[in-house]
Amino acid sequence: MDNFMQEAIEQARLSLDNGGVPIGSVLVHRGSIIGRGHNQRQQKGSAILHGEMDALEDAGRLPASVYRDSVLYTTLSPCSMCSGAILLYGIPRVVIGENRTFLGEEALLRERGVDVEVLDDPACRELMTQFIAAYPEVWNEDIGEP
């Protein structure tokens, strides 16, 4: 498995270990991780700290040229909010661990020229499947379902 996706999975496990939704992400620029993040809505009472948003926050304020030369790795298909950030910052490539438990805005990303690769990784699927079964109310809150 790709080392960057492995790091995103480690971020997802860190979230789970700390009471949150097991979604992790890393932002990679020219072969180096410049931002790591995981879903922290429960841990920080945040409305926006999904894994991708947390990784962008961790990377800090960067020139647009850095984002346009980066790859975002995420364990789960990006939601509308996170996809909007990907488009806003011009991130050209997104590698997704899995999209069976949740299909985000992949079509929009592709339509707007983003190279989207879905790995269908068993570890990513297992993390989400087990979490959703154990904590459906938290999952439904996080993705805006009833």
Short mmCIF file of all heavy atoms in Angstrom, two decimals, residues 90-116:
data_model
loop_
_atom_site.label_atom_id
_atom_site.label_comp_id
_atom_site.label_asym_id
_atom_site.label_seq_id
_atom_site.Cartn_x
_atom_site.Cartn_y
_atom_site.Cartn_z
N GLY A 90 -7.44 24.49 -5.73
CA GLY A 90 -6.87 23.99 -6.98
C GLY A 90 -6.02 22.75 -6.83
O GLY A 90 -5.08 22.53 -7.60
N ILE A 91 -6.34 21.92 -5.84
CA ILE A 91 -5.59 20.67 -5.66
C ILE A 91 -5.93 19.77 -6.84
O ILE A 91 -7.09 19.44 -7.05
CB ILE A 91 -5.95 20.02 -4.30
CG1 ILE A 91 -5.53 20.95 -3.16
CG2 ILE A 91 -5.29 18.64 -4.16
CD1 ILE A 91 -6.05 20.55 -1.80
N PRO A 92 -4.92 19.36 -7.62
CA PRO A 92 -5.20 18.68 -8.88
C PRO A 92 -5.47 17.18 -8.79
O PRO A 92 -6.00 16.59 -9.73
CB PRO A 92 -3.93 18.92 -9.69
CG PRO A 92 -2.85 18.99 -8.66
CD PRO A 92 -3.50 19.67 -7.47
N ARG A 93 -5.11 16.57 -7.65
CA ARG A 93 -5.25 15.12 -7.56
C ARG A 93 -5.70 14.73 -6.16
O ARG A 93 -5.17 15.24 -5.16
CB ARG A 93 -3.93 14.43 -7.89
CG ARG A 93 -4.01 12.92 -7.93
CD ARG A 93 -2.79 12.32 -8.66
NE ARG A 93 -2.97 10.92 -8.81
CZ ARG A 93 -2.42 9.99 -8.01
NH1 ARG A 93 -1.61 10.36 -7.04
NH2 ARG A 93 -2.66 8.71 -8.21
N VAL A 94 -6.66 13.79 -6.10
CA VAL A 94 -7.17 13.27 -4.84
C VAL A 94 -7.16 11.75 -4.91
O VAL A 94 -7.66 11.16 -5.86
CB VAL A 94 -8.61 13.78 -4.56
CG1 VAL A 94 -9.15 13.18 -3.27
CG2 VAL A 94 -8.65 15.30 -4.51
N VAL A 95 -6.55 11.14 -3.90
CA VAL A 95 -6.53 9.68 -3.80
C VAL A 95 -7.42 9.30 -2.62
O VAL A 95 -7.21 9.76 -1.49
CB VAL A 95 -5.09 9.14 -3.59
CG1 VAL A 95 -5.09 7.62 -3.47
CG2 VAL A 95 -4.18 9.60 -4.73
N ILE A 96 -8.44 8.48 -2.92
CA ILE A 96 -9.49 8.14 -1.96
C ILE A 96 -9.35 6.68 -1.53
O ILE A 96 -9.26 5.80 -2.38
CB ILE A 96 -10.87 8.38 -2.60
CG1 ILE A 96 -11.03 9.86 -2.97
CG2 ILE A 96 -12.00 7.89 -1.69
CD1 ILE A 96 -12.22 10.15 -3.87
N GLY A 97 -9.38 6.45 -0.22
CA GLY A 97 -9.28 5.09 0.29
C GLY A 97 -10.47 4.23 -0.10
O GLY A 97 -10.32 3.11 -0.56
N GLU A 98 -11.67 4.76 0.10
CA GLU A 98 -12.88 4.00 -0.25
C GLU A 98 -14.07 4.93 -0.43
O GLU A 98 -14.10 6.01 0.14
CB GLU A 98 -13.18 2.91 0.78
CG GLU A 98 -13.63 3.40 2.14
CD GLU A 98 -15.14 3.33 2.35
OE1 GLU A 98 -15.89 2.98 1.41
OE2 GLU A 98 -15.57 3.62 3.46
N ASN A 99 -15.04 4.45 -1.21
CA ASN A 99 -16.25 5.24 -1.44
C ASN A 99 -17.52 4.38 -1.37
O ASN A 99 -18.56 4.79 -1.84
CB ASN A 99 -16.18 5.97 -2.78
CG ASN A 99 -16.11 5.03 -3.97
OD1 ASN A 99 -16.15 3.81 -3.83
ND2 ASN A 99 -15.97 5.60 -5.15
N ARG A 100 -17.40 3.21 -0.76
CA ARG A 100 -18.59 2.35 -0.64
C ARG A 100 -19.50 2.77 0.50
O ARG A 100 -20.71 2.71 0.39
CB ARG A 100 -18.17 0.89 -0.43
CG ARG A 100 -17.52 0.26 -1.64
CD ARG A 100 -17.39 -1.23 -1.42
NE ARG A 100 -16.36 -1.81 -2.28
CZ ARG A 100 -16.15 -3.10 -2.39
NH1 ARG A 100 -16.89 -3.96 -1.70
NH2 ARG A 100 -15.20 -3.55 -3.17
N THR A 101 -18.91 3.19 1.63
CA THR A 101 -19.74 3.58 2.76
C THR A 101 -20.30 4.98 2.59
O THR A 101 -21.32 5.31 3.18
CB THR A 101 -18.96 3.50 4.10
OG1 THR A 101 -17.81 4.36 4.01
CG2 THR A 101 -18.52 2.08 4.40
N PHE A 102 -19.63 5.80 1.78
CA PHE A 102 -20.11 7.15 1.49
C PHE A 102 -19.51 7.59 0.16
O PHE A 102 -18.30 7.58 -0.01
CB PHE A 102 -19.71 8.13 2.59
CG PHE A 102 -20.10 9.55 2.29
CD1 PHE A 102 -21.41 9.96 2.41
CD2 PHE A 102 -19.14 10.46 1.88
CE1 PHE A 102 -21.77 11.28 2.14
CE2 PHE A 102 -19.49 11.77 1.60
CZ PHE A 102 -20.81 12.19 1.73
N LEU A 103 -20.38 7.97 -0.77
CA LEU A 103 -19.93 8.49 -2.06
C LEU A 103 -20.09 10.00 -2.03
O LEU A 103 -21.20 10.51 -2.01
CB LEU A 103 -20.73 7.88 -3.21
CG LEU A 103 -20.36 8.37 -4.60
CD1 LEU A 103 -18.90 8.10 -4.92
CD2 LEU A 103 -21.26 7.72 -5.65
N GLY A 104 -18.96 10.68 -1.98
CA GLY A 104 -18.98 12.14 -1.93
C GLY A 104 -19.08 12.75 -3.32
O GLY A 104 -19.72 12.17 -4.22
N GLU A 105 -18.45 13.86 -3.49
CA GLU A 105 -18.58 14.66 -4.71
C GLU A 105 -17.51 14.32 -5.76
O GLU A 105 -16.97 15.22 -6.42
CB GLU A 105 -18.53 16.14 -4.35
CG GLU A 105 -19.65 16.58 -3.45
CD GLU A 105 -21.02 16.50 -4.12
OE1 GLU A 105 -21.10 16.57 -5.35
OE2 GLU A 105 -22.01 16.34 -3.38
N GLU A 106 -17.24 13.05 -5.93
CA GLU A 106 -16.23 12.63 -6.91
C GLU A 106 -16.57 13.08 -8.33
O GLU A 106 -15.69 13.50 -9.08
CB GLU A 106 -16.05 11.12 -6.87
CG GLU A 106 -15.48 10.63 -5.55
CD GLU A 106 -15.47 9.12 -5.46
OE1 GLU A 106 -15.39 8.44 -6.51
OE2 GLU A 106 -15.53 8.59 -4.33
N ALA A 107 -17.84 12.99 -8.70
CA ALA A 107 -18.25 13.39 -10.05
C ALA A 107 -17.96 14.88 -10.27
O ALA A 107 -17.46 15.27 -11.33
CB ALA A 107 -19.71 13.08 -10.28
N LEU A 108 -18.28 15.70 -9.28
CA LEU A 108 -18.00 17.13 -9.38
C LEU A 108 -16.51 17.39 -9.52
O LEU A 108 -16.08 18.20 -10.35
CB LEU A 108 -18.55 17.87 -8.16
CG LEU A 108 -18.19 19.35 -8.06
CD1 LEU A 108 -18.81 20.14 -9.21
CD2 LEU A 108 -18.62 19.90 -6.71
N LEU A 109 -15.72 16.72 -8.70
CA LEU A 109 -14.27 16.90 -8.77
C LEU A 109 -13.74 16.54 -10.16
O LEU A 109 -12.97 17.30 -10.76
CB LEU A 109 -13.57 16.05 -7.70
CG LEU A 109 -13.79 16.49 -6.25
CD1 LEU A 109 -13.22 15.47 -5.29
CD2 LEU A 109 -13.21 17.88 -6.00
N ARG A 110 -14.18 15.40 -10.67
CA ARG A 110 -13.74 14.97 -12.01
C ARG A 110 -14.20 15.97 -13.08
O ARG A 110 -13.44 16.31 -13.98
CB ARG A 110 -14.26 13.57 -12.32
CG ARG A 110 -13.54 12.48 -11.57
CD ARG A 110 -14.01 11.08 -12.02
NE ARG A 110 -13.29 10.05 -11.31
CZ ARG A 110 -13.79 9.32 -10.32
NH1 ARG A 110 -15.04 9.48 -9.92
NH2 ARG A 110 -13.04 8.41 -9.73
N GLU A 111 -15.45 16.40 -12.96
CA GLU A 111 -16.02 17.36 -13.91
C GLU A 111 -15.20 18.66 -13.94
O GLU A 111 -15.07 19.29 -14.99
CB GLU A 111 -17.46 17.65 -13.50
CG GLU A 111 -18.19 18.67 -14.31
CD GLU A 111 -19.59 18.88 -13.74
OE1 GLU A 111 -20.35 17.90 -13.66
OE2 GLU A 111 -19.89 20.03 -13.36
N ARG A 112 -14.63 19.01 -12.81
CA ARG A 112 -13.84 20.24 -12.70
C ARG A 112 -12.35 20.00 -12.93
O ARG A 112 -11.53 20.87 -12.67
CB ARG A 112 -14.07 20.86 -11.33
CG ARG A 112 -15.51 21.30 -11.07
CD ARG A 112 -15.90 22.61 -11.72
NE ARG A 112 -15.12 23.72 -11.21
CZ ARG A 112 -15.44 24.44 -10.15
NH1 ARG A 112 -16.54 24.16 -9.46
NH2 ARG A 112 -14.67 25.43 -9.76
N GLY A 113 -12.00 18.80 -13.43
CA GLY A 113 -10.62 18.55 -13.85
C GLY A 113 -9.70 17.92 -12.83
O GLY A 113 -8.51 17.78 -13.08
N VAL A 114 -10.23 17.54 -11.67
CA VAL A 114 -9.40 16.91 -10.65
C VAL A 114 -9.22 15.43 -11.00
O VAL A 114 -10.18 14.75 -11.36
CB VAL A 114 -10.04 17.05 -9.24
CG1 VAL A 114 -9.23 16.32 -8.19
CG2 VAL A 114 -10.22 18.52 -8.89
N ASP A 115 -8.00 14.95 -10.91
CA ASP A 115 -7.70 13.54 -11.11
C ASP A 115 -8.07 12.81 -9.81
O ASP A 115 -7.46 13.05 -8.77
CB ASP A 115 -6.21 13.37 -11.42
CG ASP A 115 -5.78 11.92 -11.53
OD1 ASP A 115 -6.64 11.04 -11.74
OD2 ASP A 115 -4.56 11.66 -11.40
N VAL A 116 -9.09 11.97 -9.88
CA VAL A 116 -9.60 11.25 -8.70
C VAL A 116 -9.29 9.77 -8.86
O VAL A 116 -9.68 9.15 -9.84
CB VAL A 116 -11.12 11.46 -8.54
CG1 VAL A 116 -11.66 10.63 -7.38
CG2 VAL A 116 -11.44 12.93 -8.36
#
